[in-house]
Amino acid sequence: MTPRLWYRWISARMYGAAQRPLVRPWALSSPILVLLICLPLLRPLRHPDPRQMGEQELGRVAMIQSFAEHGTAAIEQSTYQPLVQRRMVNGHIYSTQPPMQSLLMAGPYQIMRRLGLTLEDNSTLVLYLLTLFGITLPAALSAGLIYRMGRLFELRRQLRACLGAVVVLAGGLLSYGVAINGAAPAGTLLLASAACLTHLISVPRPKRAAAWLAVSGMLAALAGTVEPAALIFLPLFALVMLFMRWGWRMRAGGLGLYLLGALPPLFLNATLVLPMGGSWLPQQPSLVELSGPVSAQAVFYDEEDVPTRSVWLDMGSYIGRTLETLLGAHGLLSHYPMIILGLIGMSAILHRHWPGSIKMLAGATLLGGIWIILSLAQRDSERGELGFAQPQFSLFVPLSLFWIGAWLRKGHRPVSWVLAGLLLGVSLTLSVIGASDPMPRDGYGGYSAATALRQWINPALPGDLPLARNP
């Protein structure tokens, strides 16, 4: 190219960059709305007493402090000690929570320590900042991700901004975006992984954007290391590559890039978990670890007197627990009825003439949600483990609500809009109530939304459980 052509090319580029807006108000509107709602509800602000922290949050905070101050996952020297959800391995005490999130959040805490803020001297401010940067900000930014992903449905900017706000505020990210936990950041990471895939589906030159496949695999694997229940989406999202409108060589190469990006988080998680007595693959803690050792008198039977249980009784019990997971006191539809519109949107994607990759992504969302529901039905959770609804719902409900965009593409009767408004109103109200205290110290025994509202009106005093170092 001659100097004159170079000058014209650079001038055109600079003119185009100058014409593009630096700030998109509609893209920022939903994240700002989420922050305005969440900031006054953060748990360290509403419940500053550490004795009101749940066992899961205690375990994660203890590992954050241990990683930053002692360079180890062992928590025996930490100020914060979970009383039940911990185990001893090779003479060291470890929390039963996955360590990956605590390792990532130890970086911001290390910066705070250099600035003179420590958990021992100013625990309320440090926990507030950790919750803000590690949980709340990612949940708010996921609304911006939905705004970007909404281009898939060719919606107006206003509708995309509303869709982003609905996904966060009515999908569980608001309820669990105010306390240190693994469900909210894992749900955000899954949304980011799906955003990379939707970008590749719509990009005109996929070869130049192939690196997004590795980023998508890394984010999906990282979500599985933060919250093990999210690991089911790693192979499901991999199937999307097989339905891309590419040649077979590009599909195979894309699948290889996706799996290559997933290896570093899984390898790092294995190096953290294996010394703690865990498995190289992320997995949920066992019920013995969650509820503590069970002391019971041993009962011995002769071989002929071993009690047997009918297969039909087991099947009926499992079906009953599944229905309770859907409609019970901690059920999916009891707290997030807005997911009905998400299911309608997914059915529209699967039945109409959409590209196979988009159908597979919607199918992966549906299959992952069903898997998590069936897995929760298998577990007989203890009361102290139960938070607002189920934390694992926050993994697939936001991604399910994203598919409401397919429902918004078409016109609807006033009755449909009224019903949708009722579902949205109920979901928003329950999410805000849940944000008051999503993970109380003793868990929720009954209907968690009603109990959370009762505790919001009449706050309970801190319990008498100690929070002391181990000798």
Side-chain angles (χ1 to χ4, degrees), residues 192-352:
S193 178
C196 296
L197 295 178
T198 56
H199 174 70
L200 282 170
I201 291 172
S202 58
V203 72
R205 297 179 180 179
K207 288 185 178 181
R208 296 186 178 182
W212 288 107
L213 288 172
V215 176
S216 177
M218 182 190 66
L219 294 173
L222 189 59
T225 58
V226 171
E227 183 64 38
L231 195 63
I232 183 61
F233 288 94
L234 180 62
L236 291 176
F237 285 173
L239 296 177
V240 177
M241 261 70 71
L242 302 180
F243 291 85
M244 292 285 190
R245 292 178 174 178
W246 304 339
W248 281 106
R249 292 183 179 179
M250 282 192 61
R251 296 182 191 180
L255 183 60
L257 282 175
Y258 178 87
L259 297 178
L260 186 64
L263 288 179
L266 294 178
F267 177 77
L268 179 58
N269 179 77
T271 59
L272 293 173
V273 172
L274 290 178
M276 301 168 54
S279 173
W280 66 279
L281 273 180
Q283 58 183 0
Q284 291 286 354
S286 64
L287 291 180
V288 175
E289 293 173 342
L290 291 175
S291 58
V294 179
S295 59
Q297 185 178 1
V299 180
F300 299 95
Y301 298 96
D302 296 332
E303 292 184 0
E304 297 179 356
D305 299 331
V306 175
T308 58
R309 186 171 179 176
S310 172
V311 177
W312 296 106
L313 288 177
D314 292 337
M315 186 179 298
S317 177
Y318 183 71
I319 293 175
R321 291 197 303 271
T322 303
L323 293 176
E324 185 178 1
T325 305
L326 290 173
L327 302 170
H330 295 265
L332 175 64
L333 297 177
S334 304
H335 294 79
Y336 308 114
M338 192 65 180
I339 197 175
I340 295 175
L341 281 184
L343 294 175
I344 295 175
M346 280 186 276
S347 65
I349 293 291
L350 295 174
H351 285 89
R352 294 176 183 171

